[in-house]
Amino acid sequence: MSLYTKLSDMRTPFISANWKMNKGIEETRAFFSEFVSLVKDAKSREIVVAPPFTSLHTAAGIAKDTNISIAAQNMHTNDSGAFTGEISPLMIKDAGCSHVILGHSERRQYFNETDHLINEKIKSARKHNIKVIFCIGETLQEREDGNTFNILGRQITEGLKDISPEGIVVAYEPVWAIGTGRTATPEQAQEAHASIRQKLREIFGDAAENTRILYGGSVTAENINRLMECGDIDGALVGGASLKPDSFAKIVNYDIK
Ligand code: PEP
C-alpha cells in the first residue's frame, strides 16, 4: 500500500478550526458573514468551527441551516454543580454545539489535564451525544527520545478506555508543530497516523477503518493538499490559519476545483 493510497473512501474528510482564545462576538459575526458562502459548496466534507465559549451561541445561531457545525474547545465532566468558572456538557449543547475538542495539548500542558481526566470528559460528552475531537501528540523531547509511538499509544489506550468508536474523531497534533510554523512532513505525519490507526484497530477492531484521524500543527492552504494525499490522514485541525475566513476556506476547499 503506497503512502498516497487512501485506505477507505468511507472516511469523509473532516476539517475543523480551533480559534483558541481569539474572537469576541462581533469578530465571530464578521468571520461567518464571509466564511459561510465561501464553503457552501464543500458538500463532500465535514466542517467544524470551535470558537471560545462566549461566542458559541452567536456562531451556532449563524451556522444553523448551513453545512458548518460548532464545537466547544473544552468542557467539564459534570452536568452542573459547584465548579466555579467551568462549563458543562449540557451548557455547550444548549449553546448549539454538536462537537467538543478534548485533550488538546494546551489543556494538557497549561491546565494539567491527564489521560484519566480526558477519558472522563470523553465519556461525559458521549453520554450527552456530543461528538468528540480527541487530541493526542508527542512533545519535541519525546520525539527526540524515540518515544513518539509509546506516547501516542498510551494517550489512545488511556484516553479511549471504555469508549466506543461512534462519534470519536482523533486529532494527531505533534506539540512541536503547533503554532510554530513547523509542520510535520507528510511522511512523518503518515507514519504517526498509521501507528494511531493500528492502535485503534486493537481497541475498536474493524471500526478503526472508519475512524477519522486528523492532522494538526501549522496546517495552511499551502500544505493541506500534500497532507490530505496521505492514506491515513482524513482531515485537519487548524489553529492560526483558521482565524481568517479566506485562508480557512482555502483549507476546507482543498482539492475542489
Ligand atoms: C491547534 O492548536 O490545534 C493547532 C493545530 O494550531 P496551529 O494550526 O496554529 O498550529
Side-chain angles (χ1 to χ4, degrees), residues 42-253:
K43 306 276 186 238
S44 58
R45 42 213 63 176
E46 210 169 317
I47 309 165
V48 176
V49 176
F53 287 129
T54 47
S55 290
L56 288 177
H57 187 61
T58 302
I62 302 169
K64 196 167 172 283
D65 302 325
T66 72
N67 54 340
I68 304 161
S69 302
I70 303 299
Q73 299 171 19
N74 181 33
M75 54 167 243
H76 195 267
T77 48
N78 287 44
D79 292 355
S80 62
F83 300 100
T84 301
E86 289 293 319
I87 306 283
S88 84
L90 295 178
M91 290 167 181
I92 66 170
K93 267 187 99 164
D94 194 31
C97 293
S98 50
H99 293 69
V100 64
I101 298 174
L102 294 174
H104 192 280
S105 62
E106 288 153 16
R107 301 290 321 166
R108 294 177 190 258
Q109 194 179 342
Y110 305 133
F111 301 95
N112 301 319
E113 292 202 7
T114 61
D115 292 320
H116 176 72
L117 177 65
I118 294 160
N119 176 255
E120 294 290 307
K121 288 188 176 192
I122 296 175
K123 282 184 186 149
S124 172
R126 293 308 300 138
K127 184 179 93 185
H128 293 293
N129 213 16
I130 300 167
K131 293 178 191 147
V132 173
I133 302 170
F134 166 50
C135 302
I136 57 173
E138 81 287 0
T139 62
L140 186 59
Q141 191 63 55
E142 288 162 344
R143 175 163 280 264
E144 286 176 350
D145 290 346
N147 278 333
T148 299
F149 301 118
N150 291 339
I151 297 294
L152 297 178
R154 190 208 71 217
Q155 290 175 337
I156 294 168
T157 310
E158 296 187 19
L160 295 180
K161 193 163 185 278
D162 302 322
I163 307 275
S164 63
E166 297 77 36
I168 304 288
V169 172
V170 177
Y172 169 59
E173 299 207 306
V175 179
W176 48 272
I178 295 182
T180 59
R182 186 178 161 187
T183 327
T185 63
E187 289 75 17
Q188 282 173 320
Q190 168 58 25
E191 186 187 32
H193 281 232
S195 89
I196 292 165
R197 187 154 337 266
Q198 186 49 39
K199 200 79 201 167
L200 292 175
R201 281 188 195 106
E202 290 166 25
I203 303 172
F204 291 158
D206 289 346
E209 309 309 329
N210 299 331
T211 304
R212 267 87 56 91
I213 308 175
L214 318 182
Y215 170 78
S218 301
V219 173
T220 62
E222 284 67 50
N223 58 30
I224 184 71
N225 278 284
R226 283 271 289 140
L227 289 162
M228 290 303 297
E229 283 169 0
C230 296
D232 286 292
I233 299 185
D234 308 312
L237 181 55
V238 186
S242 73
L243 292 171
K244 293 211 172 90
D246 55 340
S247 70
F248 187 50
K250 279 190 189 135
I251 296 173
V252 168
N253 291 327

